[in-house]
């Protein structure tokens, strides 16, 4: 038990240190990245993100309906993917109708993320599957 607490503490120290070290890296990126670029495999990148989100939704639903506590993990990951998808939809959209569509999608993705966060924060392990 003591070893686990020590490992957890070191993992948390590593995460905290990483957050501090990422600040200068973000400054470097802000100063050096181009404002425009040509992207190869654009559609594959977007489809892959949506496949990941769909797989997360499916895994969370299946695990949750079976009463498996691991649904909390998949829900957490799926919430993150939904927020990332919304972020990239908005930040890569052109001004105008494309941005309006991205904002509409972001509202739906925020709802999905909220549902996933609710599930991820649910207390305890269910002893039996969710009734139908």
């Amino acid at each position: 038990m003591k070893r686990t607490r020590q490992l957890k503490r070191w993992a948390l120290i590593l995460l905290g240190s990483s957050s501090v070290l990422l600040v200068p890296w973000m400054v470097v990126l802000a100063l050096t990245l181009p404002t425009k670029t040509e992207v190869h495999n654009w559609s594959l990148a977007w489809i892959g993100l949506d496949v990941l989100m769909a797989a997360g939704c499916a895994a969370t639903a299946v695990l949750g309906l079976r009463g498996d506590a691991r649904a909390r993990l998949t829900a957490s990951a799926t919430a993150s993917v939904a927020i990332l998808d919304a972020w990239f939809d908005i930040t890569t959209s052109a001004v105008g109708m494309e941005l309006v569509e991205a904002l509409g999608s972001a509202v739906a993705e925020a709802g999905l993320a909220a549902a996933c966060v609710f599930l991820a924060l649910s207390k305890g392990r269910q002893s039996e599957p969710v009734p139908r």
Side-chain angles (χ1 to χ4, degrees), residues 96-121:
M97 198 59 201
E98 190 176 322
L99 180 57
V100 171
E101 290 173 7
L103 290 170
S105 293
V107 170
E109 289 160 342
L112 171 65
C116 287
V117 167
F118 170 78
L119 292 170
L121 295 177

Side-chain angles (χ1 to χ4, degrees), residues 69 71-76 79 113-125:
R72 295 171 65 192
L73 299 174
T74 58
S76 178
C116 287
V117 167
F118 170 78
L119 292 170
L121 295 177
S122 296
K123 296 280 184 187
R125 176 174 165 75

Side-chain angles (χ1 to χ4, degrees), residues 14-39:
L14 177 64
L15 287 173
S17 301
S18 296
S19 71
V20 172
L21 292 172
L22 280 168
V23 173
W25 176 244
M26 289 183 276
V27 172
V28 168
L29 291 177
L31 296 173
T32 61
L33 283 176
T35 56
K36 292 184 179 187
T37 187
E38 183 178 324
V39 179

